[in-house]
C-alpha cells in the first residue's frame, strides 16, 4: 500500500528529533530511509507538496540542509484512516493500523464503536480472531453461529429470548392430526440479498441440500421428503412424528442460503466483505421482517488488542467497548447475564471405570476445591450444581473409601479454562493413587477427535441456544461424543427414547421426557455440569439497543445510534 509506505518513510525522517527541526544531509536521510539519495529527494519533494514538512537544501555535496516538520506521523495516520473509511476502503484503514498493541489501541479509539460514516450508522467491533466461513449446517464458533442467524433466514426463527419458534420465511404452519405432515406457508414478498425474488422451489432445493449433510441428516432423521405442494407451501412428510420440527428449522444450522450462491441469504444483513481482517455486514433493504436501524456492522479483526495467551478462552467477552476517545471514561457495562451454556464432564463406564468409581470422581469435582482453581475472580465463569435451572445434580453419600483405578485417560477440548481443570484433576488424582493421562483436542467440537475411542473421561462445553430443552435434545442426537461415552446398546436405547419423546405434541411433555433422560445420565454418573459462563457487553454511551441474547451476542437488528449532532 503506497500510503502506508509513505507514512513509514515519513516516520523514519521524524523519529530522530521527534519532530524538532533537523540539520541533516541528504546522504544521512537516504541511509535512514534505506533508499538512494535520488529517491529520498523525491520523498522530500512529495512530502513538502503535501504540506507535511519543509526542506531547505544547501548547495554543495555533503552540506547540511534544514528539515522542518509541520505535522506529526500520528496525525497523518489518523487523517489517512479517516479518509480511507470515508471512501469505503476499510482494508486500507486496517493496513494503516498495523502497530504495537498500545499504539493501535490509541489509534483505533476514534474509529471503533458506533459511528455515523457518510450518513450511514455503522457499528465497528474489534474481534480477537478471524472468522470461519459461514457454511451450511453446524458451525463450531459462537460468533459464526450468531452471524449465520443475521445473514440467513430459516423457515422458522426464535424471536428474542423466546424458546418457542415463530414464522420467518414461513408466515405460519400447520400439522396433520397424526403429526406426519407439516405444511409451511411461505411469505409472498421474499427477496434474496442479490435482489432476486425467492421462489418456494429454491427453498425446497436448499432444504434438500441440507439433508445431504450427515449431521443435518441425523438432526432431521424423521423427514421422509420435502415437496413444493403449492407455489407458497412447503410440505414435510415424516416417517415418524417429530414435534421438535419447528425448533429444528429455527436453529442457525437450518438457515437457508441461495441454492446456487451459498454466500447469499435473505436475513436482515448481507455480507459486504468476508476477509481474514474484516467482515462487513450491510442491511438488506428488502428484508421481510423489521428492518435494522444500523446500516453497516464491521468486525475489525485486531488480535493485537487482545491478550494472545487467552487463545479461545471464555474470558473473551463480546466487545463493542471502544468509542470516541473522550467517551472512554464513561464506557459502561450494557448487559451481562449468566449463560445457560456450560462446561461439562462425561465418564465412560467400562472394565476400567465402574459406576461407583465414576460417582466418586464426580464427588471429588463438586465437593473439593477443584472448580475454584479456575479464573473465578474475573467473574466470567460460575460453578454450577444444575444442568438447567431445576435439573439438579444428584447427591451421593461419602465415597472416599472407594478405590479409584490405577490409570485413566482424560480427553478435553476448548475453551482453554479446561487446561487448568485438567491439570488440577491430574494432580488431585495422583494423590489418590490414580495416574491420569491428559490429552488436549485443540478444537471447539469433538469432530475428528480420534482419542475419544480410548478415553475414560471427556470434558468440553455445550452452548445452549434459544430453546434450552431442545438444544440438549439436539446435543444427544447429533454430537459425536455420545457414541463413545455410551455402550452400543445404551446409545441405541438413548436414540429410541429421544424418538419417543419427540412424538409428544405438548411441549411440557417433551420437556419432562427430556429431563428424565438427563436425570438418568446424571444419576448413573455418566454426565455432570462444571460451570456456566458470564457473558458481558460494554459499549460507549452512544450505542443503544444492546441486549444480550442466549449466544452471548446481541441482535444486530435492535442496535441503533442517535443521529449526529448538527
Amino acid at each position: 500500500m503506497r500510503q502506508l509506505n509513505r507514512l513509514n518513510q515519513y516516520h523514519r525522517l521524524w523519529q530522530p528529533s521527534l519532530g524538532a527541526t533537523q540539520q541533516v544531509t541528504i546522504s544521512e536521510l537516504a541511509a535512514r530511509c534505506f533508499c538512494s539519495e535520488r529517491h529520498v529527494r523525491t520523498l522530500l519533494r512529495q512530502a513538502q507538496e503535501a504540506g507535511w514538512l519543509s526542506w531547505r537544501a544547501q548547495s554543495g555535496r555533503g552540506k547540511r540542509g534544514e528539515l522542518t516538520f509541520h505535522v506529526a506521523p500520528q496525525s497523518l495516520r489518523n487523517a489517512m484512516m479517516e479518509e480511507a473509511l470515508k471512501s469505503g476502503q476499510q482494508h486500507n484503514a486496517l493496513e494503516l493500523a498495523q502497530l504495537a498493541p498500545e499504539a493501535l489501541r490509541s489509534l483505533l479509539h476514534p474509529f471503533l464503536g458506533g459511528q455515523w460514516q457518510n450518513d450511514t450508522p455503522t457499528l465497528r467491533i474489534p474481534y480477537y480472531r478471524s472468522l470461519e466461513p459461514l457454511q451450511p449446517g453446524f458451525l463450531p464458533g459462537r460468533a459464526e453461529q450468531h452471524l449465520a442467524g443475521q445473514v440467513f433466514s430459516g423457515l422458522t426463527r426464535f424471536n428474542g429470548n423466546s424458546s418457542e419458534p415463530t414464522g420467518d420465511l414461513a408466515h405460519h404452519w400447520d400439522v396433520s392430526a397424526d403429526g406426519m405432515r407439516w405444511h409451511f406457508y411461505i411469505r409472498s414478498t421474499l427477496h434474496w440479498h442479490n435482489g432476486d425474488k425467492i421462489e418456494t422451489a429454491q427453498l425446497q432445493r436448499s432444504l434438500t441440500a441440507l439433508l445431504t449433510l450427515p449431521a443435518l441428516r441425523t438432526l432431521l432423521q424423521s423427514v421422509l421428503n420435502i415437496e413444493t405442494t403449492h407455489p407458497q407451501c412447503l410440505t414435510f412428510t415424516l416417517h415418524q412424528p417429530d414435534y421438535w420440527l419447528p425448533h429444528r428449522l429455527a436453529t442457525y444450522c437450518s438457515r437457508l442460503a441461495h441454492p446456487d450462491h451459498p454466500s447469499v441469504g435473505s436475513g436482515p444483513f448481507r455480507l459486504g466483505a468476508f476477509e481474514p481482517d474484516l467482515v462487513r455486514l450491510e442491511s438488506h433493504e428488502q428484508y421481510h421482517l423489521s428492518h435494522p436501524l444500523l446500516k453497516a456492522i464491521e468486525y475489525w479483526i485486531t488480535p493485537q488488542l487482545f491478550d494472545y495467551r487467552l487463545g479461545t478462552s471464555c474470558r473473551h467477552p463480546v466487545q463493542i467497548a471502544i468509542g470516541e476517545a473522550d467517551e472512554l471514561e464513561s464506557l459502561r457495562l450494557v448487559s451481562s447475564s449468566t449463560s445457560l451454556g456450560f462446561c461439562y464432564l462425561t465418564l465412560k463406564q467400562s472394565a476400567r471405570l465402574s459406576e461407583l468409581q465414576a460417582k466418586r470422581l464426580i464427588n471429588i469435582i463438586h465437593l473439593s476445591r477443584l472448580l475454584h482453581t479456575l479464573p473465578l475472580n474475573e467473574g466470567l465463569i460460575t460453578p454450577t450444581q444444575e444442568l438447567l435451572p431445576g435439573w439438579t445434580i444428584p447427591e451421593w453419600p461419602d465415597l472416599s473409601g472407594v478405590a479409584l483405578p490405577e490409570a485413566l485417560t482424560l480427553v478435553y477440548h476448548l475453551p482453554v479454562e479446561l487446561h487448568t481443570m485438567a491439570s488440577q484433576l491430574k494432580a488431585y488424582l495422583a494423590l489418590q493413587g490414580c495416574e491420569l493421562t491428559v490429552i488436549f483436542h485443540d478444537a471447539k467440537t469433538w469432530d475428528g477427535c480420534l482419542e475419544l475411542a480410548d478415553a475414560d473421561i471427556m470434558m468440553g462445553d455445550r452452548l445452549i441456544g434459544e430453546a434450552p430443552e431442545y438444544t440438549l435434545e439436539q446435543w444427544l442426537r447429533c454430537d459425536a461424543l455420545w457414541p463413545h461415552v455410551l455402550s452400543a446398546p445404551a446409545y441405541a436405547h438413548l436414540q429410541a427414547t429421544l424418538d419417543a419423546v419427540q412424538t409428544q405434541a405438548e411441549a411440557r411433555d417433551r420437556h419432562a421426557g427430556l429431563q428424565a433422560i438427563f436425570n438418568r445420565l446424571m444419576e448413573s454418573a455418566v454426565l455432570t455440569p462444571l460451570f456456566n459462563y458470564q457473558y458481558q457487553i460494554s459499549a460507549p454511551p452512544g450505542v443503544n439497543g444492546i441486549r444480550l441474547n442466549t449466544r452471548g451476542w446481541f441482535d444486530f437488528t435492535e442496535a441503533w445510534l442517535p443521529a449526529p449532532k448538527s
Side-chain angles (χ1 to χ4, degrees):
M1 178 185 171
R2 183 176 298 177
Q3 274 189 319
L4 182 58
N5 290 336
R6 288 180 64 194
L7 182 61
N8 287 339
Q9 293 288 51
Y10 182 73
H11 190 267
R12 292 186 181 105
L13 297 174
W14 162 285
Q15 186 62 33
S17 66
L18 298 178
T21 299
Q22 300 175 16
Q23 304 296 323
V24 64
T25 67
I26 283 291
S27 62
E28 289 172 343
L29 293 178
R32 193 183 300 169
C33 293
F34 307 104
C35 63
S36 67
E37 293 184 10
R38 179 179 178 180
H39 186 63
V40 85
R41 286 190 175 94
T42 302
L43 289 176
L44 290 171
R45 176 177 53 79
Q46 291 175 341
Q48 186 159 285
E49 290 172 354
W52 298 358
L53 54 75
S54 295
W55 168 246
R56 295 175 59 188
Q58 296 291 329
S59 59
R61 185 169 181 82
K63 295 289 186 179
R64 292 186 177 276
E66 185 175 86
L67 186 60
T68 304
F69 298 93
H70 303 314
V71 59
Q74 187 79 347
S75 299
L76 276 181
R77 193 183 296 264
N78 285 348
M80 288 180 177
M81 281 187 66
E82 188 168 358
E83 185 59 36
L85 290 170
K86 285 181 178 179
S87 58
Q89 299 173 345
Q90 288 86 356
H91 287 289
N92 287 350
L94 285 169
E95 281 193 33
L96 285 163
Q98 299 306 305
L99 298 171
E102 288 307 315
L104 178 62
R105 186 174 291 109
S106 174
L107 177 64
L108 292 186
H109 278 160
F111 301 108
L112 294 174
Q115 301 281 326
W116 280 77
Q117 195 72 50
N118 292 342
D119 297 324
T120 299
T122 301
L123 188 65
R124 295 192 177 99
I125 304 171
Y127 205 60
Y128 71 99
R129 62 173 176 85
S130 294
L131 297 171
E132 298 295 323
L134 301 183
Q135 299 173 339
F138 288 105
L139 297 166
R142 183 161 51 97
E144 286 84 355
Q145 293 175 16
H146 174 68
L147 271 182
Q150 302 292 303
V151 172
F152 302 106
S153 302
L155 290 187
T156 57
R157 66 193 288 266
F158 293 108
N159 190 14
N161 287 333
S162 172
S163 61
E164 290 302 313
T166 187
D168 192 354
L169 295 172
H171 181 269
H172 66 284
W173 63 89
D174 60 43
V175 57
S176 62
D178 61 1
M180 301 290 276
R181 285 176 67 83
W182 293 71
H183 305 284
F184 292 86
Y185 299 95
I186 309 303
R187 299 177 193 270
S188 58
T189 56
L190 300 174
H191 290 83
W192 298 110
H193 289 157
N194 62 6
D196 292 348
K197 189 177 185 300
I198 293 178
E199 304 291 342
T200 303
Q202 291 177 315
L203 301 181
Q204 189 270 344
R205 285 176 57 201
S206 295
L207 284 162
T208 301
L210 281 182
L211 292 180
T212 65
L213 303 175
L216 268 294
R217 180 67 262 176
T218 300
L219 182 69
L220 299 168
Q221 52 91 25
S222 298
V223 175
L224 187 61
N225 59 58
I226 306 170
E227 300 175 287
T228 304
T229 51
H230 181 274
Q232 302 301 137
C233 181
L234 278 175
T235 297
F236 286 65
T237 302
L238 311 185
H239 61 76
Q240 62 182 1
D242 182 6
Y243 286 93
W244 290 119
L245 183 61
H247 293 74
R248 302 194 197 283
L249 297 175
T251 51
Y252 78 90
C253 60
S254 300
R255 300 296 175 100
L256 302 176
H258 191 294
D260 301 316
H261 307 286
S263 64
V264 174
S266 59
F269 291 91
R270 64 183 180 86
L271 286 176
F274 201 100
E275 305 293 340
D277 58 357
L278 176 74
V279 173
R280 178 178 169 87
L281 307 182
E282 298 167 352
S283 63
H284 176 30
E285 299 297 336
Q286 295 174 292
Y287 183 52
H288 52 280
L289 298 177
S290 177
H291 283 211
L293 297 172
L294 291 171
K295 292 298 183 183
I297 294 169
E298 295 175 353
Y299 289 70
W300 282 23
I301 313 302
T302 48
Q304 311 96 304
L305 295 181
F306 298 84
D307 186 345
Y308 74 92
R309 294 170 298 178
L310 295 184
T312 48
S313 164
C314 58
R315 282 182 282 177
H316 276 302
V318 179
Q319 293 189 28
I320 52 166
I322 305 179
E324 295 287 353
D326 59 1
E327 290 180 339
L328 294 181
E329 292 300 320
S330 54
L331 193 71
R332 84 267 194 230
L333 180 66
V334 174
S335 187
S336 68
S337 67
T338 300
S339 166
L340 295 181
F342 52 83
C343 277
Y344 63 83
L345 181 143
T346 59
L347 302 103
K348 177 166 61 180
Q349 293 162 24
S350 63
R352 287 198 301 260
L353 182 68
S354 70
E355 180 176 328
L356 202 57
Q357 290 170 324
K359 288 180 177 180
R360 187 188 171 197
L361 278 169
I362 291 176
N363 266 2
I364 287 173
I365 289 166
H366 286 288
L367 301 181
S368 71
R369 299 291 299 173
L370 277 177
L371 290 175
H372 296 270
T373 63
L374 301 170
L376 304 178
N377 57 316
E378 298 183 23
L380 292 174
I381 56 177
T382 305
T384 184
Q385 302 283 313
E386 296 179 316
L387 199 67
L388 290 179
W391 296 21
T392 308
I393 65 174
E395 293 184 9
W396 297 306
D398 178 26
L399 298 171
S400 57
V402 175
L404 294 175
E406 293 183 359
L408 292 170
T409 298
L410 164 68
V411 178
Y412 69 100
H413 67 63
L414 297 168
V416 298
E417 278 69 25
L418 292 179
H419 290 333
T420 306
M421 182 73 193
S423 175
Q424 294 296 328
L425 187 58
K426 179 182 176 71
Y428 193 95
L429 293 188
L431 298 176
Q432 313 301 313
C434 176
E435 181 183 356
L436 186 65
T437 299
V438 173
I439 301 171
F440 173 50
H441 178 56
D442 191 7
K444 296 174 183 176
T445 71
W446 292 115
D447 293 342
C449 181
L450 302 178
E451 293 83 3
L452 277 178
D454 296 319
D456 304 295
I457 307 171
M458 301 85 155
M459 291 194 302
D461 80 327
R462 180 71 255 165
L463 178 65
I464 297 296
E466 295 85 350
E469 293 84 3
Y470 163 70
T471 302
L472 290 182
E473 193 271 356
Q474 176 182 289
W475 183 33
L476 292 180
R477 190 175 288 284
C478 298
D479 199 290
L481 170 73
W482 297 104
H484 295 281
V485 173
L486 301 172
S487 66
Y491 183 70
H493 181 265
L494 170 67
Q495 297 302 311
T497 307
L498 292 175
D499 289 347
V501 169
Q502 74 179 30
T503 65
Q504 301 298 314
E506 295 296 328
R508 64 175 179 273
D509 295 331
R510 294 198 303 277
H511 295 175
L514 200 63
Q515 183 176 359
I517 292 173
F518 276 97
N519 282 345
R520 286 195 293 272
L521 290 173
M522 291 192 290
E523 286 283 357
S524 58
V526 170
L527 166 70
T528 193
L530 300 175
F531 58 81
N532 298 111
Y533 308 116
Q534 181 74 21
Y535 292 146
Q536 299 178 3
I537 296 182
S538 299
V543 181
N544 300 286
I546 305 296
R547 179 172 57 86
L548 268 169
N549 63 19
T550 54
R551 297 186 187 278
W553 280 83
F554 62 97
D555 190 338
F556 291 162
T557 64
E558 295 180 358
W560 60 278
L561 305 175
K565 296 176 182 178
S566 57

